[in-house]
Amino acid sequence: MKTQVEQDGIVTLTGEAAESLKDSHMLNEDLRPTTRAEHHWTAYNFSSLWVGMCICIPTYTMASGLIALGMNWWQAIVTIILGNLIVLIPVLLNTHAGTKFGIPYPVFARLWFGSKGAHIPAIARAIVAAAWFGINCWYGGAAIDTLLVSMTGWEHVGGHLFIAFFAFWLLNVVVAYRGPESIRKMESWAAPVLIVMGLALLIWAITAAGGMGPMLSAPSKFQSAGEFFTIFFPALTGTIAFWATLALNIPDFGRYAKSQKAQVIGQSIALPGTMGLFSFIGVAVTSATVVIYGQAIWDPAALMAHFPPFVIFIGTIGIILAALTTNVAANVVAPARAAENLWPRKITFAGGAVITGLLSLVMQPWYLVGDISNYIFVFLGGYGALLGPIDGIAIADYWLVRKRKLALTELYSSTGRYSYASGFNRNSIYALVIGIIIPLLGLFVPGLRFLWDNAWTFGLIISGCIYTYLMRQDPSKLSDEEYASMTVIMNAPKTASDVTGNMIKQGPENI
């Protein structure tokens, strides 16, 4: 019996197959494959998603960390753009799976880790997302705190910064209750607003300073290529790791794409373009503050304190909007889905959002952003070393091992072909461990330091290659004949009557 229909490169369940999964304990409304009607995100939706996520204070201040480490402004911006062009590759490759089969990240992970083993990459991604959730809440809370201090006697309230942080944290959790579709709508109108506000800030800085400022003419502090590359490679890993998180769970959004073309165009333009532009705005504005105020002010919240109350109010709204659009899209969906996947019948997306918020407090975001070297080298580099191997396994499984052929119904069965041995695919676990250990050697063996400095890249390549080798004879793979036996292949019909005609030609037993 045919269980799935492929039309224009998008696969959906047949009505009978969908009905047969209703009682599966591995499925709920959020984890099921999307229907054809739900594939409605356009290139603009994906562009606005990335604009909303990229325009945030961590992006604004990212270049500052690289300049503080010795780079000049253009070396920092080029490093950031290069890192995002590199991470764009796994983003597009993993989005393809979500778009074609309409599955969220935890279900995608069942394919390569097993029905139970999928919790390993899902929870790993969730922990990192919770940390980012806390960091963005901390920045947003600081902006609110600055607004209140400048307009009232708020600074005399004990613990005022933490009160503002918890208030903004609560706002994020409440908004997250509304789910992924509300994120699409919010990003659609927020993206142009954020771009306009960012450009307005840049124009003010250039005008008030009578130019870009001294920072853009300051030379690099490195005396040799060796000194530069000692900083460049770990910094590049840090910039890659910035969105290595979304490179994993991008199927959570890709599953709604109207077509592969829509997701490729929207993401290819918006991700590297927005990261490069907003990082440059951060550098240029900060450079101008040296001329205007006699000191470099990297923190937008601190910069706002120099403006009149109305401008502070508008700026605070912008920072809150930037932090909110980043948080609900980038840092809630993945951990909420991971929580759902642990107990699909009991935990909803809303419940997962609350769990994410609570976990973010445990991660102590005020500590993570307290020291720039700790932020870039320890936090970003550390989780890059963890997520790189998982990215490698995901890409290798879908593109090299299975060659983009899946049995959708089997992903929701605890005894199906993707359950492996007791729910765990040992091959993926072996590949993950090796992909983490080898770069980790660079921390302890001086001559191998380059492995750790490029941990995300080496981890991805090592784990991907090992996984592909170990899975070469795995029985879970579908042959072309097996895929054809369960899939109705349809060309795009032009009218409703054409749809009926195609179904008749296929035969009722195949539909």
Side-chain angles (χ1 to χ4, degrees):
M1 181 185 78
K2 305 281 187 176
T3 59
Q4 54 196 39
V5 179
E6 180 175 334
Q7 181 178 341
D8 296 335
I10 292 176
V11 178
T12 55
L13 291 174
T14 63
E16 292 82 356
E19 185 68 22
S20 70
L21 294 178
K22 283 177 57 178
D23 297 326
S24 171
H25 70 280
M26 298 179 65
L27 176 143
N28 65 15
E29 184 63 17
D30 295 320
L31 297 177
R32 65 168 175 78
T34 48
T35 64
R36 184 72 195 186
E38 290 171 321
H39 282 270
H40 61 289
W41 282 37
T42 63
Y44 176 76
N45 292 134
F46 280 97
S47 292
S48 61
L49 174 73
W50 278 108
V51 169
M53 290 191 297
C54 291
I55 296 183
C56 58
I57 296 179
T59 301
Y60 184 94
T61 59
M62 176 178 282
S64 70
L66 302 183
I67 290 174
L69 293 170
M71 293 186 182
N72 60 32
W73 75 269
W74 67 262
Q75 289 172 337
I77 300 303
V78 168
T79 300
I80 291 169
I81 293 176
L82 179 60
N84 282 278
L85 286 173
I86 292 173
V87 81
L88 177 64
I89 297 172
V91 165
L92 296 179
L93 293 177
N94 286 334
T95 307
H96 191 286
T99 298
K100 182 172 183 178
F101 292 96
I103 50 177
Y105 171 61
V107 176
F108 184 39
R110 294 173 187 172
L111 188 66
W112 17 285
F113 264 83
S115 55
K116 295 179 180 178
H119 298 313
I120 298 173
I123 291 175
R125 170 66 181 96
I127 292 173
V128 174
W132 272 120
F133 183 89
I135 288 172
N136 277 282
C137 284
W138 181 256
Y139 281 131
I144 296 173
D145 182 70
T146 298
L147 172 66
L148 295 175
V149 167
S150 66
M151 301 180 69
T152 68
W154 179 248
E155 67 272 19
H156 302 299
V157 177
H160 55 89
L161 176 57
F162 277 87
I163 293 174
F165 161 68
F166 279 108
F168 188 64
W169 172 88
L170 182 61
L171 173 63
N172 278 261
V173 172
V174 170
V175 171
Y177 253 81
R178 302 179 62 187
E181 185 57 23
S182 66
I183 294 172
R184 178 186 69 86
K185 295 177 181 178
M186 180 176 65
E187 301 285 8
S188 294
W189 63 262
V193 172
L194 291 171
I195 291 175
V196 169
M197 294 184 74
L199 292 175
L201 181 62
L202 178 62
I203 293 171
W204 164 82
I206 295 174
T207 303
M212 288 291 193
M215 193 173 298
L216 298 188
S217 60
S220 169
K221 297 178 182 178
F222 303 116
Q223 301 300 315
S224 66
E227 289 183 6
F228 171 74
F229 286 116
T230 298
I231 296 297
F232 170 75
F233 285 113
L236 182 65
T237 295
T239 58
I240 292 172
F242 195 87
W243 288 121
T245 51
L246 260 293
L248 274 177
N249 78 288
I250 194 63
D252 287 328
F253 302 100
R255 63 196 295 237
Y256 301 110
K258 190 174 184 178
S259 65
Q260 296 291 357
K261 181 180 179 180
Q263 64 93 358
V264 169
I265 292 176
Q267 298 190 105
S268 298
I269 294 173
L271 172 54
T274 307
M275 288 296 291
L277 173 62
F278 202 59
S279 295
F280 172 76
I281 289 175
V283 173
V285 172
T286 304
S287 182
T289 62
V290 176
V291 176
I292 300 169
Y293 302 114
Q295 60 177 321
I297 304 174
W298 286 103
D299 184 356
L303 177 60
M304 285 193 305
H306 294 272
F307 288 93
F310 177 73
V311 178
I312 294 176
F313 176 76
I314 297 299
T316 300
I317 295 300
I319 290 178
I320 290 174
L321 184 61
L324 194 59
T325 54
T326 299
N327 251 5
V328 295
N331 304 320
V332 172
V333 176
R337 289 278 187 258
E340 284 186 277
N341 195 47
L342 287 171
W343 202 355
R345 290 298 184 181
K346 296 294 183 180
I347 300 178
T348 63
F349 183 89
V354 173
I355 293 173
T356 301
L358 294 175
L359 183 59
S360 71
L361 299 179
V362 177
M363 303 297 290
Q364 302 181 70
W366 46 88
Y367 169 75
L368 292 176
V369 299
D371 179 82
I372 194 65
S373 62
N374 181 58
Y375 171 65
I376 291 180
F377 295 138
V378 179
F379 177 57
L380 291 180
Y383 82 65
L386 170 65
L387 298 188
I390 300 177
D391 265 324
I393 292 170
I395 293 169
D397 183 274
Y398 180 71
W399 288 92
L400 301 179
V401 175
R402 305 189 193 282
K403 296 179 172 57
R404 306 179 302 285
K405 295 187 289 289
L406 316 180
L408 268 179
T409 56
E410 299 282 327
L411 289 169
Y412 299 91
S413 171
S414 58
T415 58
R417 69 171 62 228
Y418 305 128
S419 291
Y420 303 99
S422 302
F424 292 89
N425 182 4
R426 292 189 178 90
N427 290 333
S428 60
I429 296 175
Y430 296 151
L432 174 63
V433 172
I434 295 172
I436 293 174
I437 288 178
I438 292 180
L440 194 62
L441 292 175
L443 278 179
F444 306 101
V445 181
L448 300 178
R449 179 70 193 190
F450 69 94
L451 290 174
W452 179 254
D453 289 344
N454 300 276
W456 182 87
T457 304
F458 278 111
L460 183 149
I461 295 172
I462 292 169
S463 290
C465 291
I466 291 174
Y467 181 81
T468 302
Y469 176 78
L470 294 176
M471 291 290 289
R472 64 193 186 283
Q473 301 295 333
D474 195 87
S476 69
K477 297 190 296 183
L478 284 175
S479 65
D480 292 339
E481 293 74 19
E482 287 177 308
Y483 185 74
S485 69
M486 66 180 65
T487 308
V488 179
I489 308 294
M490 298 177 64
N491 294 322
K494 296 181 180 179
T495 65
S497 61
D498 291 334
V499 175
T500 304
N502 280 339
M503 290 184 174
I504 292 173
K505 290 177 183 178
Q506 291 289 342
E509 72 281 1
N510 290 334
I511 305 296

